[in-house]
Amino acid sequence: MFVKQATQTARENTWDKKVSPFPAFDQLKSSRSTYQQKSPDTNAQPSKLDKIIVRGGQELNGVIPISGAKNAALKLMCAALLTDEPVYFENAPNMLRDIQSQTDLMTHLGCHIRRERDLMAINAGPVHSQTAPYDLVRKMRTSILVLGPLLARFGQAKVSLPGGCAIGTRPVDLHLKALEELGAQIKLENGYIDAKTPQGGLQGAKILFPKVSVGATENLLMAATLAKGTTVLANAAKEPEIVDLGECLIKMGAKITGLGTETITIEGVPELKGTTHSILPDRIEAGTYIIAAGMTGGTLKLQNARIEHLSAAMGLLSQAGIEVEQSDQDIIVHREIGRILGVDIMTEPYPGFPTDLQAQFMAMLSLCQGAGMITETIFENRFMHVPELCRMGADITVQGNSAIVRGVESLKGAEVMATDLRASVALVLAGLVAEGETTINRIYHLERGYEDIVGKLSACGADIRKA
Ligand code: UD1
């Protein structure tokens, strides 16, 4: 560990003066025909306006480019910590607040990061700190994902306990226990996770997760790439974003098999190298716009989106009366105006119905013919959108982790409050079909996960603006 740090410091001293941190950036930029066509200035900071005003009643028709997946991009950024060579990402959702927060954190650790439109490059060669402080971590739970890579590469890491969406207690015990099984010594002190590896670094082990966790699977997947020997992750999560992370790690030189199944095997290697990776499309963003068109009626072409990543939702959308099909790289969604049918959904780990589409589905069901039941099995307290939807006229009753949604004829515009990322977008969807004007306050959460939602929806006919 100390040898590595000393080498690091020596490299850092000469690095800024002589070598570009991203020798391949400009070449990558000019080699991509789509580069200039992507959404406008994706390097722009989110605006200071904190309300969205929607006037309901417009059909949605047109084309929406789907961004790279936030939940993959954040972990891929962490993976770049595993090497001292530059890693380049295409299709990066650079406009998102969460990407900015992760950039701030990694820059604090010493990384050099360049972002332009949908390209991102990270050089973690000059990392000089292994401490992720409270101020940078509190906004975003995913910061915990720097723990595994820092520990694996430097032998130590100190990470503040995370914040993030207010959807339940969301502990990190699975991450910590599994890292301990790789030999990490972990103390919790003053709100920080203080972790060290034993002499000789992390050791491969067989880890059986008692519960499926996306984040814990990813943290361990990354840590195990540099551990000595073989690690087996049993009862691992199978999300497409994990497969994307694993594929990038393989390009970086990691030895991984079983991605997308419940058993992932990792043969540790001494070091990883830089690579270029194109981030998979955001299935939750695509699912959100499918539901939007299902609610307003009309035809949307969602560019660069994959229906196979939404298979559990597809059957339910079809039962509800919404037509969705894949056409080359795009998803086409079509809906004649009219009421959708009530369906029941239950959230589950992938490939089940995603909890991240639950709030949007509820907004849609609030206008269904009949009723639908929604059961949330992943997060407690993920019904915070219910009172806000009810203020708009929805008829929803919550009992434990289930909600009965009785369809109403219409929703009415109201002033509502965004509480977490997916709850916020559910209110935007409700606003698109409500009578009159809906004002959504505190859109901070929305900007964490949806790139240019106002621009994308208004280009398809929605009457929506920031204020
Ligand atoms: C990720 C996604 C989030 C999605 C969720 C479930 C990112 C940035 N976020 O969150 O959008 O809603 O997967 O698909 O990718 N748990 C524990 N102990 C732990 C870790 C988790 O008890 O150490 C529990 C959680 O409280 C939750 C369940 O396990 O009840 C699943 O959480 P997990 O899959 O870890 O979600 P995240 O990775 O935080």
Side-chain angles (χ1 to χ4, degrees):
M1 162 180 92
F2 296 109
V3 176
K4 266 193 181 170
Q5 276 174 341
T7 319
Q8 212 65 59
T9 311
R11 183 180 295 113
E12 192 191 344
N13 287 342
T14 52
W15 188 77
D16 271 340
K17 291 174 215 147
K18 294 188 184 150
V19 194
S20 158
F22 308 117
F25 197 95
D26 290 327
Q27 196 190 347
L28 188 63
K29 201 163 116 175
S30 56
S31 72
R32 298 183 66 240
S33 56
T34 58
Y35 178 73
Q36 295 300 338
Q37 296 158 22
K38 279 290 204 179
S39 44
D41 192 8
T42 44
N43 205 27
Q45 295 296 307
S47 84
K48 300 238 180 313
L49 304 174
D50 72 343
K51 288 175 200 227
I52 284 180
I53 298 179
V54 198
R55 211 157 239 294
Q58 309 299 320
E59 256 195 19
L60 289 176
N61 287 294
V63 179
I64 295 184
I66 298 302
S67 300
K70 167 184 87 80
N71 285 354
L74 292 168
K75 326 309 171 49
L76 288 161
M77 292 176 77
C78 296
L81 286 168
L82 287 161
T83 174
D84 60 5
E85 292 183 10
V87 181
Y88 301 87
F89 297 115
E90 299 172 303
N91 203 31
N94 279 328
M95 265 174 108
L96 299 180
R97 275 187 195 264
D98 273 7
I99 296 293
Q100 183 59 49
S101 303
Q102 187 72 14
T103 300
D104 293 344
L105 170 59
M106 292 183 52
T107 305
H108 170 88
L109 298 175
C111 293
H112 283 236
I113 301 185
R114 181 170 168 192
R115 298 184 293 152
E116 272 182 43
R117 296 191 182 262
D118 70 328
L119 294 183
M120 179 191 295
I122 301 177
N123 191 323
V127 165
H128 51 71
S129 165
Q130 290 81 42
T131 299
Y134 174 71
D135 252 7
L136 293 172
V137 167
R138 71 188 156 86
K139 291 184 196 155
M140 204 181 48
R141 178 181 165 75
T142 312
S143 320
I144 185 73
L145 270 293
V146 300
L147 181 64
L150 285 175
L151 195 57
R153 180 163 152 221
F154 298 101
Q156 60 180 14
K158 195 169 169 186
V159 178
S160 171
L161 284 160
C165 280
I167 47 173
T169 48
R170 302 186 78 171
V172 292
D173 55 314
L174 300 174
H175 302 238
L176 303 188
K177 190 166 170 295
L179 286 169
E180 280 175 340
E181 287 178 51
L182 294 190
Q185 294 146 4
I186 296 179
K187 285 187 294 187
L188 293 183
E189 267 176 2
N190 309 321
Y192 277 81
I193 302 158
D194 197 346
K196 288 190 173 44
T197 59
Q199 202 78 33
L202 295 174
Q203 302 289 330
K206 174 149 193 189
I207 292 160
L208 172 59
F209 290 112
K211 180 175 188 177
V212 179
S213 160
V214 173
T217 301
E218 292 165 331
N219 227 343
L220 268 290
L221 176 62
M222 290 189 279
T225 57
L226 294 180
K228 290 209 169 58
T230 305
T231 300
V232 178
L233 304 178
N235 200 24
K238 301 178 217 157
E239 268 67 3
E241 293 77 19
I242 300 177
V243 176
D244 201 45
L245 171 65
E247 284 171 354
C248 179
L249 290 167
I250 290 170
K251 287 190 221 162
M252 292 167 72
K255 295 199 173 142
I256 302 168
T257 54
L259 290 167
T261 75
E262 61 189 28
T263 308
I264 303 176
T265 304
I266 306 119
E267 296 284 343
V269 295
E271 58 182 17
L272 296 181
K273 57 185 190 318
T275 192
T276 300
H277 182 77
S278 183
I279 300 174
L280 89 167
D282 196 315
R283 65 193 163 103
I284 303 300
E285 189 195 19
T288 300
Y289 290 125
I290 290 173
I291 293 171
M295 292 172 77
T296 63
T299 304
L300 286 184
K301 175 168 158 177
L302 307 177
Q303 274 179 330
N304 187 25
R306 298 192 203 151
I307 223 168
E308 79 257 25
H309 292 159
L310 285 163
S311 52
M314 284 306 140
L316 294 161
L317 286 162
S318 146
Q319 277 178 42
I322 299 166
E323 293 166 36
V324 188
E325 62 180 27
Q326 186 85 44
S327 167
D328 297 326
Q329 301 298 305
D330 308 325
I331 290 177
I332 312 287
V333 51
H334 175 74
R335 169 87 191 137
E336 300 294 336
I337 291 183
R339 292 179 76 177
I340 58 132
L341 303 175
V343 289
D344 295 342
I345 65 167
M346 179 157 81
T347 64
E348 284 173 309
Y350 191 85
F353 186 91
T355 175
D356 287 350
L357 277 180
Q358 181 258 103
Q360 300 89 314
F361 233 82
M362 186 182 283
M364 181 177 84
L365 285 178
S366 65
L367 287 167
C368 73
Q369 215 173 345
M373 184 161 88
I374 296 184
T375 305
E376 172 59 58
T377 72
I378 308 290
F379 293 115
E380 69 212 68
N381 200 16
R382 204 172 202 183
F383 283 139
M384 287 189 301
H385 38 286
V386 170
E388 301 302 299
L389 288 172
C390 290
R391 296 184 67 241
M392 296 176 73
D395 180 355
I396 305 169
T397 313
V398 175
Q399 275 179 349
N401 67 343
S402 291
I404 309 283
V405 188
R406 294 182 183 84
V408 294
E409 297 256 332
S410 64
L411 295 174
K412 310 270 183 295
E415 186 139 348
V416 289
M417 184 71 80
T419 48
D420 71 49
L421 170 54
R422 307 303 169 185
S424 312
V425 84
L427 298 174
V428 173
L429 298 185
L432 290 174
V433 290
E435 287 168 10
E437 197 170 271
T438 298
T439 301
I440 299 135
N441 291 295
R442 280 223 317 242
I443 57 166
Y444 165 83
H445 282 294
L446 196 60
E447 292 177 340
R448 290 183 45 206
Y450 286 88
E451 272 197 326
D452 192 24
I453 187 168
V454 168
K456 289 182 182 184
L457 285 172
S458 55
C460 295
D463 184 348
I464 182 169
R465 66 189 161 90
K466 283 191 188 174

